[in-house]
């Protein structure tokens, strides 16, 4: 007897390699002690939120006895928070957003789900470069769509624009990208994005409905060596940016994010209405009110990105010393090295035998590689060096 829909039962049966690693990690830590397990399997930021967050929460707590302080609000979010975010996002993206272009969401994940809910008809396609964030397939599938993946260029992980444009057909509704990228750390260069935007404009000229560009950007704040994350709404009017404060403020549990609709998108009001409707009827309604009040107070603060930069250097040293092949991440907190021997699942098992936990590339749509999340203490990185060397022996 199955208690589940076929679709959910099937998704569960395929399982999540990352989740499995998480459980295995907890088991190994019990047996060997937490300091003897080097867990790079999960992108859960370990840095505490900046001090401004605690101060803001204390201020918000003082207001809690006022009527409606934690009440329902307009469905797109608090108007003054949307206005503040319009200014903030406008600076980041170099485009003049207004508060009306911003929809508050339950993290980036909630925002992506609202967007797909609002724009996809059954069977329509979302094109995405691979490797990609594992959840995208589920988010698109939740709303009757189909994720179509297109391999990125190797070893740079840059977009293959010709292949992406070549995958477009009459069912294509969205092209989605994620930069800085999970799992590769790549930041797509402006020239590549311009070629993509120009190609999409040429496609739109042949169609009744435009193709949206969805830009998933929770790692925008984390770009190394002075790298700049280019603005997509500047390049393409049918762009929607989805993002959150999960990583830049280390607040993934508070579920606060937003969607920003490009200010020069024709008929953008209709899209915003659809996003707000989707948010409401999916049951999110909008982002948690305390989260909204919190980010309004701390906009502009973030965790110390220099800590991640030091860890990136430490991880690169460990991998280089042990002879791994990898492309240096330009942003985010992930490495995506080649699996010695070519079989990612087998190699991840070898790492696990050394108590080094990683996620196989197949789960991100690129077998033969593995992902390391370096949002862990620098000591964990340095102490893992021996394990990385031993795992590679004999490959
Ligand atoms: N998109 C990417 C690429 C991510 O890595 C994550 C989380 O790890 C998300 C979206 C979801 O972010 P949030 O926690 O804000 O929903």
């Amino acid at each position: 007897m199955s208690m589940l829909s076929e679709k959910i039962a099937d998704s569960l049966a395929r399982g999540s390699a990352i989740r499995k690693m998480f459980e295995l990690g907890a088991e190994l830590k019990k047996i060997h002690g937490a300091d003897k397990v080097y867990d790079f399997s999960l992108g859960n930021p370990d840095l505490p939120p900046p001090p401004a967050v605690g101060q803001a929460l204390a201020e918000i707590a003082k207001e809690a006895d006022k009527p409606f302080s934690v009440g329902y609000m307009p469905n797109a979010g608090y108007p003054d928070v949307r206005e503040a975010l319009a200014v903030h996002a406008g600076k980041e993206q170099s485009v003049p957003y207004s508060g009306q272009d911003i929809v508050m969401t339950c993290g980036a994940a909630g925002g992506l789900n609202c967007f797909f809910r609002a724009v996809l008809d059954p069977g329509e396609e979302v094109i995405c470069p691979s490797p990609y964030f594992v959840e995208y397939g589920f988010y698109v599938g939740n709303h009757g769509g189909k994720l179509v993946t297109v391999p990125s260029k190797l070893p740079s992980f840059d977009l293959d624009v010709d292949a992406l444009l070549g995958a477009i057909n009459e069912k294509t509704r969205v092209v989605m990208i994620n930069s800085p990228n999970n799992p590769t750390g790549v930041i797509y260069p402006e020239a590549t994005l311009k070629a993509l935007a120009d190609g999409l404009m040429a496609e739109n000229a042949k169609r009744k409905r435009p193709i949206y560009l969805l830009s998933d950007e929770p790692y925008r704040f984390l770009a190394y060596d002075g790298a700049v994350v280019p603005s997509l709404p500047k390049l393409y009017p049918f762009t929607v940016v989805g993002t959150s404060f999960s990583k830049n403020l280390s607040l993934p549990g508070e579920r606060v994010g937003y969607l920003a609709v490009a200010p020069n998108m024709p008929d953008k009001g209709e899209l915003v209405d659809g996003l707000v409707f989707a948010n409401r009827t999916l049951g999110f309604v909008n982002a948690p009110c305390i989260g909204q009040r919190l980010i309004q107070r701390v906009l502009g603060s973030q965790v110390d990105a220099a800590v991640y930069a030091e860890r990136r250097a430490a991880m690169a040293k460990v991998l280089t010393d042990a002879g791994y092949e990898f492309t240096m991440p330009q942003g985010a907190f992930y490495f995506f090295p080649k699996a010695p021997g070519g079989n990612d699942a087998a190699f991840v098992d070898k790492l696990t035998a050394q108590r080094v936990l990683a996620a196989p590339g197949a789960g991100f749509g690129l077998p033969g590689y593995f992902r390391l999340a370096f949002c862990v203490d620098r000591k964990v990185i340095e102490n893992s060096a021996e394990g990385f060397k031993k795992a590679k022996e004999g490959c």
Side-chain angles (χ1 to χ4, degrees):
M1 183 175 70
S2 175
M3 310 295 280
L4 300 170
S5 72
E6 279 178 31
K7 193 169 165 180
I8 297 295
D10 178 56
S11 301
L12 284 182
R14 280 185 278 131
S16 155
I18 297 179
R19 200 35 51 192
K20 251 190 262 165
M21 274 298 160
F22 180 70
E23 281 155 20
L24 182 63
E27 199 56 33
L28 287 175
K29 281 171 197 166
K30 253 193 255 157
I31 301 169
H32 300 281
D35 60 326
K36 299 285 185 304
V37 179
Y38 313 106
D39 190 350
F40 303 104
S41 62
L42 211 63
N44 192 8
D46 68 317
L47 295 183
V53 166
Q55 289 155 17
L57 285 172
E59 281 172 31
I60 294 165
K62 284 195 204 131
E63 309 267 302
D65 57 356
K66 298 206 171 128
F68 304 116
S69 62
V70 197
Y72 286 123
M73 69 192 84
N75 281 331
Y78 288 119
D80 53 346
V81 175
R82 294 168 73 205
E83 293 294 338
L85 278 173
V87 174
H88 172 80
K91 277 190 210 143
E92 280 188 345
Q93 304 283 356
S94 312
V95 293
Y97 287 115
S98 80
Q100 302 290 314
D101 303 327
I102 307 292
V103 177
M104 302 307 301
T105 62
C106 279
L112 302 182
N113 271 281
C114 284
F115 175 77
F116 292 133
R117 174 82 174 154
V119 305
L120 290 179
D121 279 313
E124 286 193 324
E125 294 182 359
V126 177
I127 297 175
C128 160
S130 64
Y132 59 96
F133 177 50
V134 246
E135 304 293 76
Y136 289 164
F138 298 113
Y139 298 167
V140 172
N142 282 344
H143 309 292
K146 182 176 162 211
L147 189 73
V148 175
T149 61
V150 172
S152 297
K153 291 181 180 169
L154 295 175
S156 67
F157 300 119
D158 193 6
L159 298 177
D160 185 339
V161 173
D162 289 341
L164 286 167
L165 295 173
I168 291 174
N169 62 39
E170 69 285 356
K171 290 196 165 154
T172 306
R173 190 68 172 124
V174 181
V175 172
M176 94 178 280
I177 65 165
N178 162 225
S179 174
N181 184 267
N182 174 9
T184 66
V186 70
I187 294 175
Y188 302 124
E190 175 126 18
T192 307
L193 297 174
K194 170 117 185 35
L196 177 64
D198 291 349
L200 290 176
M201 285 310 271
E203 282 295 332
N204 288 343
K206 301 182 233 156
R207 318 163 61 95
K208 280 206 225 93
R209 299 199 303 180
I211 297 173
Y212 289 108
L213 190 52
L214 175 62
S215 185
D216 179 25
E217 304 191 358
Y219 301 98
R220 167 172 277 279
F221 79 105
L222 201 47
Y224 304 109
D225 302 330
V228 172
V229 183
S231 159
L232 273 163
K234 224 171 72 177
L235 295 174
Y236 186 67
F238 298 99
T239 298
V240 174
V241 172
T243 190
S244 71
F245 298 89
S246 296
K247 314 288 171 169
N248 70 338
L249 288 171
S250 277
L251 286 180
E254 182 50 24
R255 315 304 306 135
V256 57
Y258 63 95
L259 291 167
V261 173
N264 57 342
M265 185 186 296
D267 297 326
K268 63 181 180 178
E270 192 185 348
L271 176 63
V272 169
D273 287 348
L275 295 171
V276 172
F277 176 82
N279 212 2
R280 186 185 100 209
T281 53
L282 282 169
F284 298 131
V285 185
N286 43 38
C289 65
I290 292 173
Q292 291 191 49
R293 287 295 175 217
L294 170 62
I295 53 119
Q296 180 183 25
R297 285 175 159 83
V298 305
L299 266 185
S301 313
Q302 63 174 44
V303 296
D304 184 1
V307 176
Y308 285 121
E310 283 166 17
R311 293 166 173 188
R312 167 178 169 262
M315 191 90 246
K317 180 169 174 2
V318 165
L319 293 173
T320 305
D321 289 352
Y324 286 79
E325 273 180 66
F326 64 94
T327 301
M328 192 69 166
Q330 297 155 306
F333 42 56
Y334 306 101
F335 278 75
F336 202 61
K338 261 189 168 170
N343 181 330
D344 51 322
F347 188 71
V348 162
D349 284 347
K350 286 191 176 176
L351 284 172
T352 307
Q354 301 301 325
R355 286 173 272 108
V356 175
L357 305 186
F364 303 91
L366 187 60
Y369 290 74
F370 62 101
R371 191 193 75 170
L372 300 168
F374 62 89
C375 42
V376 297
D377 197 272
R378 188 162 158 185
K379 280 265 162 301
V380 177
I381 299 171
E382 286 166 356
N383 294 341
S384 68
E386 210 44 45
F388 275 105
K389 278 189 192 148
K390 284 201 179 133
K392 195 170 173 294
E393 278 166 15
C395 284

